[in-house]
């Protein structure tokens, strides 16, 4: 950087007018788009890179769904990655206009913490037997982790309003949320269900308060998907149970909803990052078939489990 570059306090001043809480959206549209649009929403401490490729360089879900004829919209949550974050709370402290204890905590994943929560294994660095995550490329996966400024965001999370605006603009889309963002499609539907043709919750929980949205959710086809090794983790067992309670309520209200753990389909070895596992396209096929049968062509048989089964198991 040049010594003459005017990087000084006037530029970093917390006064003035700023644009805060934008959501970056990357889109890829096939030359012949014949299918419903898909919106991919990443989880905590990550960005849209989750969906773009795998740590070992294979095709990601973003490209897969485009190849199936879907326009695909991949977002970076507000406060993450290319969406940036609002630095005002930090700058206010630096300028002496706010006390130090108002600084928001900045979350990030350690290798050890992520290993267990992402169900790579029971304890770092030991893997579960039969795991499908490409552990030989784990160093590349760690590089995908970014600082998480969620604690500095207002409530409700601005990402939800941005997702609602995107779904409305698309005039119909399937929202796919992963992990922390697993509840985002439901929460977005609570703000405004307009434009949401389907909801897919991938490895997410169903937090308190969502049961009030059951009448809304019952009007939107919903799939909840989990991978393998759930019984090995009390945390993930609780997540599945929370989703089961909510999906039971949606079903009782007349909704079209299904909760699947992949071993039920004969698909084994999937971690929390199943969109990056070595059988990630096999899992994507399960989702795409559900979208075709339940969202685009309702009334057809849901999920041909035999064709989805892992022949290597």
């Amino acid at each position: 950087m040049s010594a003459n570059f005017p990087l000084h306090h006037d530029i970093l001043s917390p006064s003035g007018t700023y644009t805060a809480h934008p959501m970056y959206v990357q889109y890829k549209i096939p030359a012949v788009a014949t299918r419903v649009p898909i919106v991919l929403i990443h989880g905590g401490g990550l960005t849209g890179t989750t969906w773009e490729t795998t740590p070992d360089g294979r095709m990601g879900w973003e490209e897969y769904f485009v190849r199936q004829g879907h326009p695909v919209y991949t977002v970076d949550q507000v406060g993450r990655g290319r969406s940036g974050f609002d630095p005002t709370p930090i700058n206010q402290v630096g300028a002496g206009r706010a006390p130090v204890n108002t600084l928001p905590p900045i979350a990030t994943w350690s290798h050890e913490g992520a290993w267990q929560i992402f169900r790579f294994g029971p304890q770092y660095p030991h893997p579960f037997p039969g795991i499908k995550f490409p552990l030989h490329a784990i160093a590349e996966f760690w590089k995908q982790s970014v600082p998480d400024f969620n604690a500095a965001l207002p409530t409700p999370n601005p990402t939800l309003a941005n997702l609602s605006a995107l779904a409305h603009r698309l005039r119909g889309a399937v929202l796919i949320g992963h992990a922390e963002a697993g509840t985002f499609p439901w929460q977005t539907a609570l703000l405004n269900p307009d434009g949401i043709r389907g909801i897919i919750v991938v490895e997410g929980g169903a937090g308190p308060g969502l049961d009030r949205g059951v009448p809304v959710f019952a009007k939107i086809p919903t799939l909840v998907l989990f991978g393998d090794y759930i019984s090995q983790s009390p945390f993930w067992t609780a997540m599945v149970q929370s989703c089961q309670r909510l999906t039971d309520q949606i079903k009782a209200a007349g909704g079209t909803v299904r909760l699947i753990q992949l071993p039920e389909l004969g698909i084994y070895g999937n971690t929390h990052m199943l969109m990056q596992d070595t059988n990630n396209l096999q899992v994507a096929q399960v989702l795409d078939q559900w979208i075709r049968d339940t969202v685009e062509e309702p009334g057809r048989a849901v999920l041909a489990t035999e064709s989805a089964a892992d022949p290597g198991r």
Side-chain angles (χ1 to χ4, degrees), residues 150 175 199 202:
N150 266 5
L175 304 188
I199 287 174
V202 177

Side-chain angles (χ1 to χ4, degrees), residues 258-303:
R258 185 169 183 182
L259 187 152
I260 296 173
Q261 295 184 52
L262 286 173
E264 298 170 0
L265 304 183
I267 301 176
Y268 300 90
N270 285 107
T271 68
H272 179 54
M273 298 301 297
L274 43 73
M275 74 293 295
Q276 297 186 347
D277 289 339
T278 55
N279 64 340
N280 67 327
L281 300 187
Q282 182 187 24
V283 178
Q285 181 185 6
V286 171
L287 299 189
D288 195 45
Q289 189 65 50
W290 179 86
I291 291 171
R292 184 182 298 278
D293 292 341
T294 311
V295 176
E296 297 172 331
E297 303 175 20
R300 290 181 47 176
V302 178
L303 292 175

Side-chain angles (χ1 to χ4, degrees), residues 154-264:
T155 302
N157 188 323
T159 298
L160 303 178
N162 286 322
L163 287 171
S164 179
L166 177 59
H168 178 78
R169 182 171 179 177
L170 296 176
R171 294 194 293 271
V174 174
L175 304 188
I176 303 180
H178 174 239
E180 170 209 27
T183 63
F184 282 18
W186 277 323
Q187 293 181 64
T188 302
L190 278 177
L191 284 181
N192 183 2
D194 182 40
I196 303 177
R197 287 187 59 187
I199 287 174
I200 297 180
V201 177
V202 177
E203 291 267 333
L210 282 178
D211 54 348
R212 65 188 174 89
V214 166
V216 175
F217 307 150
K219 299 176 183 178
I220 305 172
T222 298
L223 175 66
V224 180
L225 187 75
F226 288 94
D228 205 347
Y229 312 108
I230 297 297
S231 63
Q232 306 291 325
S233 167
F235 174 84
W236 284 109
T237 297
M239 291 296 100
V240 172
Q241 290 171 346
S242 71
C243 285
Q244 188 66 68
R245 286 191 292 269
L246 183 59
T247 56
D248 286 346
Q249 290 178 283
I250 295 172
K251 188 175 297 184
T256 299
V257 61
R258 185 169 183 182
L259 187 152
I260 296 173
Q261 295 184 52
L262 286 173
E264 298 170 0

Side-chain angles (χ1 to χ4, degrees), residues 56-144:
D56 54 343
R58 290 172 290 108
M59 184 189 303
W61 281 13
E62 179 185 67
E63 181 180 345
Y64 172 83
F65 285 118
V66 170
R67 286 177 177 270
Q68 306 312 306
H70 299 277
V72 177
Y73 299 78
T74 303
V75 313
D76 280 2
Q77 286 188 41
V78 172
R80 212 82 57 79
R82 292 165 289 189
S83 293
F85 66 96
D86 180 6
T88 302
I90 298 172
N91 287 342
Q92 290 282 3
V93 172
R97 297 174 179 172
V100 172
N101 63 6
T102 63
L103 282 172
I106 301 172
T108 189
W109 286 109
S110 68
H111 297 179
E112 294 82 359
W115 190 271
Q116 288 184 294
I117 291 297
F118 291 7
R119 300 199 311 282
F120 295 155
Q123 187 175 6
Y124 181 83
H126 306 290
F128 285 123
I131 187 176
K132 292 286 176 65
F133 191 82
L135 290 177
H136 63 280
I138 191 70
E140 294 302 314
F141 175 70
W142 298 137
K143 296 173 186 177
Q144 295 182 12

